[in-house]
Amino acid sequence: MTRMRAARRIGVVLVASAVTLGLSACSATEARDTALQLPGKAAQALDAGLGKVLSAISAPTIEEAKAGTKLSPKVTSPDIHENGVLTVGLESSASVPMLVSSSDGGHAGYNVDVAYALADELGLTVSFVSVGDASQADSAGCDIVMGAEAGNSGSMTVVGSYAEAATAFFHKGAEGTVERGAIMGKTVGLQESSLSQQLLKRSDLQAAAKTYSNLNDAFAALESGSVDYVLCDAYSGAYLQAGYPDIALAGSVDAPVSVGVAVNPSNAVLREQVTEAFDAMSTNGVLDVLRAKWLGGMCPLTPDTQVQGVTMSSVTPADTAVGSGAEAVMGATGGQDGSTAGANAVNIAG
């Protein structure tokens, strides 16, 4: 990797981060970004990630700068649909911070930033396509699909893990994994008619559920002491807890599932190149920067971050009626609009 290649790749991340640090008003997009420009854990994580990246590069020479505008594709047709372009599928059900969609059709979010960085590593530009799930990649003309869960993407192969899917508890206190007994009988804030509400109902934690119309209100209640915990999609919670220096992850209620990039298993060339690109992004710190930007420095979710000993009953029709929809974020509009029953809507506008 030349110094120019590294500098250009970091430029993608730094421009996005600069936008975050420069906003101060209160529109939906601005509220989304300023939620991560707080002192403490989010800023420290971002600084650490940037330091790791910047220490690996130096200023380009004049010759490198002149040549820097020309990409060197590492994969070409027929292994991608269009030469010079990585066609990326974005699952329409993805929620903030994984995907933030604007009314004019623009996209932002963790999945989007990772896709840009991946394409840069592959020497390609990016084109985005909306898909229902990873199984629609071929019919939608996608080369890859972002945000795919291992073991839940049909016939597609998932490579390049950069995230984890889980439902998690947040509390006022240090980040870590609490004991089951610490949650027993406590009051837990949830979004009404959400997947998280269903999971809590099915658990043997005997906790008192207190529901809110959106997760913003639930986190505000946690901050004020009205509830002891909030249970929600781990990444939506990570996004919101960045705005509260004293709120942190307390452990997931279910086992984390790896999230990565779905690739057609018959496309060995693309699969290998994507895997190598993710290895490079992990080594050079680009993924650290993006994780810090969108997740506020929350630790990766592993089996060690799951609360142990929680027993779940089987799903019943009554449970399904409580809510079984995907976690979503409103305000900074996610792939879902928040109107679907069961969504954990987070209104962060204004």
Side-chain angles (χ1 to χ4, degrees):
M1 178 181 66
T2 66
R3 288 177 291 174
M4 186 61 206
R5 287 283 297 161
R8 182 165 58 79
R9 171 166 38 252
I10 301 311
V12 174
V13 177
L14 292 182
V15 167
S17 298
V19 171
T20 297
L21 297 175
L23 294 172
S24 59
C26 194
S27 69
T29 302
E30 291 167 336
R32 165 176 56 80
D33 284 333
T34 54
L36 296 180
Q37 67 162 344
L38 300 165
K41 54 195 174 187
Q44 291 169 1
L46 186 58
D47 288 344
L50 289 173
K52 180 178 178 181
V53 175
L54 295 176
S55 66
I57 67 173
S58 58
T61 66
I62 294 176
E63 290 75 16
E64 288 174 328
K66 288 180 178 179
T69 56
K70 184 177 180 180
L71 298 176
S72 299
K74 295 181 179 179
V75 60
T76 59
S77 178
D79 297 308
I80 53 177
H81 285 79
E82 181 181 351
N83 277 327
V85 179
L86 184 67
T87 306
V88 177
L90 297 174
E91 294 190 357
S92 57
S93 60
S95 60
V96 173
M98 304 306 285
L99 177 63
V100 183
S101 300
S102 61
S103 58
D104 61 3
H107 300 294
Y110 192 26
N111 284 343
V112 173
D113 278 2
V114 173
Y116 274 119
L118 173 61
D120 189 73
E121 185 66 41
L122 295 174
L124 305 170
T125 59
V126 180
S127 175
F128 292 108
V129 176
S130 179
V131 297
D133 55 48
S135 67
Q136 298 179 5
D138 288 337
S139 61
C142 299
D143 300 314
I144 62 172
V145 175
M146 305 301 295
E149 294 185 11
N152 192 32
S153 296
S155 62
M156 302 292 279
T157 296
V158 179
V159 299
S161 176
Y162 63 93
E164 311 85 36
T167 302
F169 289 102
F170 291 83
H171 69 160
K172 290 184 73 172
E175 183 175 272
T177 305
V178 300
E179 298 290 333
R180 172 178 175 273
I183 307 174
M184 290 286 294
K186 298 295 185 179
T187 301
V188 177
L190 314 109
Q191 182 188 305
E192 187 175 5
S193 300
S194 66
L195 173 64
S196 300
Q197 185 179 5
Q198 180 195 51
L199 288 176
L200 185 65
K201 181 180 178 182
R202 289 174 50 209
S203 78
D204 63 351
L205 290 171
Q206 301 175 24
K210 189 170 184 179
T211 60
Y212 298 88
S213 61
N214 57 66
L215 285 181
N216 297 70
D217 291 346
F219 271 77
L222 178 59
E223 175 68 13
S224 69
S226 298
V227 298
D228 302 301
Y229 294 91
V230 167
L231 180 65
C232 62
D233 169 72
Y235 278 16
S236 294
Y239 186 82
L240 286 178
Q241 61 93 34
Y244 298 92
D246 54 348
I247 292 178
L249 174 74
S252 68
V253 70
D254 50 3
V257 177
S258 177
V259 174
V261 175
V263 183
N264 191 315
S266 65
N267 193 337
V269 172
L270 182 58
R271 185 177 69 247
E272 180 179 350
Q273 288 296 328
V274 169
T275 300
E276 291 181 0
F278 267 93
D279 288 343
M281 291 190 294
S282 179
T283 300
N284 63 28
V286 168
L287 290 180
D288 290 340
V289 172
L290 297 181
R291 188 179 183 98
K293 174 188 174 185
W294 291 104
L295 304 183
M298 187 181 79
C299 70
L301 302 176
T302 69
D304 289 337
T305 60
Q306 181 182 3
V307 179
Q308 298 300 305
V310 178
T311 300
M312 293 287 179
S313 64
S314 59
V315 179
T316 68
D319 293 326
T320 305
V322 171
S324 57
E327 312 278 340
V329 177
M330 297 190 319
T333 309
Q336 297 183 1
D337 64 6
S339 61
T340 303
N344 272 359
V346 184
N347 185 356
I348 48 180

